Amino acid sequence: KAGVTQTPRYLIKTRGQQVTLSCSPISGHRSVSWYQQTPGQGLQFLFEYFSETQRNKGNFPGRFSGRQFSNSRSEMNVSTLELGDSALYLCASSFAEDTEAFFGQGTRLTVV
Amino acid sequence: GIQVEQSPPDLILQEGANSTLRCNFSDSVNNLQWFHQNPWGQLINLFYIPSGTKQNGRLSATTVATERYSLLYISSSQTTDSGVYFCAVEQAGGTSYGKLTFGQGTILTVHP
């Protein structure tokens, strides 16, 4: 079956702009989580959605937001981009809590 | 929150050698996974192993939940095993929905 799909794969934005990233989970999975990976901070949890509800949120500023649709697809948005937002953004899906998480290929965002 | 420590941070091997990667965590967990990050950034699932022992070909893993550590064994290493290995855990309790906390990773380099 198809894995977790993230679009776009690469993105270049200018400081101050906003960006929207998309994640389509594995069919049947209702939990979607987002992570940011940078060389300095490693992999950090952004937020998690389950059945269109945000259940958990990491320690990121309010410029980072997300949502989940009724078909479990999720989007994350970053407003007023800063140079430090340059990172690999990874999305994971799982059937439920305490089950195996599967990751997409990621979106590599560069802010110039 | 839970702390995850991986060791060693770097590991250099000759092809054919065996290795052991360690993951220590500071609290009870419901989920523990080992990943291999490929050069394009995708996290490839190796094991979902909150407790017990599993084997998959040349790789095996053991988690001793009561002592809060997990081990990943790689036998007869190959150059294709090179990359970064991550351990990630989901803390037990009612507030860690979908949140994996990652270690800093072990960078494995296998020379021919």
Side-chain angles (χ1 to χ4, degrees):
Chain A
K1 58 183 176 183
V4 180
T5 303
Q6 291 188 243
T7 56
R9 294 289 312 281
Y10 302 92
L11 209 47
I12 301 175
K13 289 286 189 179
T14 304
R15 273 181 301 175
Q17 287 186 314
Q18 75 166 13
V19 66
T20 300
L21 311 182
S22 179
C23 173
S24 293
I26 291 171
S27 178
H29 286 192
R30 294 163 65 190
S31 172
V32 174
S33 300
W34 289 88
Y35 297 82
Q36 181 196 63
Q37 185 177 25
T38 59
Q41 299 297 318
L43 279 148
Q44 293 188 292
F45 172 78
L46 282 156
F47 28 67
E48 187 262 3
Y49 288 87
F50 186 90
S51 294
E52 302 180 67
T53 300
Q54 185 184 88
R55 297 192 300 178
N56 207 349
K57 188 177 186 337
N59 189 25
F60 278 82
R63 300 184 298 104
F64 292 81
S65 63
R67 60 178 176 168
Q68 186 180 35
F69 302 95
S70 58
N71 61 358
S72 293
R73 189 178 71 86
S74 178
E75 289 181 347
M76 68 164 281
N77 184 77
V78 188
S79 62
T80 319
L81 284 165
E82 301 176 359
L83 295 179
D85 298 333
S86 295
L88 178 65
Y89 290 88
L90 291 163
C91 161
S93 80
S94 60
F95 178 74
E97 55 260 34
D98 305 340
T99 61
E100 190 173 5
F102 296 85
F103 282 79
Q105 294 177 297
T107 294
R108 195 168 294 276
L109 172 66
T110 302
V111 182
V112 298
Chain B
I2 194 168
Q3 305 298 313
V4 181
E5 293 185 4
Q6 289 186 242
S7 60
D10 296 276
L11 188 57
I12 300 174
L13 302 173
Q14 287 296 129
E15 203 167 26
N18 301 329
S19 60
T20 301
L21 283 59
R22 187 176 178 101
C23 172
N24 291 333
F25 44 96
S26 61
D27 204 344
S28 300
V29 299
N30 291 330
N31 178 1
L32 188 146
Q33 292 185 239
W34 283 97
F35 297 94
H36 178 207
Q37 189 164 39
N38 68 21
W40 298 273
Q42 186 171 10
L43 291 171
I44 306 300
N45 289 42
L46 296 177
F47 294 101
Y48 169 73
I49 187 167
S51 63
T53 297
K54 291 185 177 181
Q55 180 156 8
N56 184 4
R58 296 181 297 105
L59 274 58
S60 64
T62 294
T63 297
V64 184
T66 53
E67 297 187 21
R68 299 180 183 169
Y69 73 88
S70 183
L71 302 174
L72 176 68
Y73 305 96
I74 304 175
S75 64
S76 304
S77 59
Q78 301 175 357
T79 56
T80 52
D81 295 331
S82 296
V84 187
Y85 289 80
F86 288 102
C87 166
V89 304
E90 182 173 331
Q91 187 173 6
T95 60
S96 295
Y97 302 115
K99 176 182 179 180
L100 287 174
T101 300
F102 284 79
Q104 289 301 306
T106 291
I107 303 173
L108 174 65
T109 303
V110 181
H111 290 302

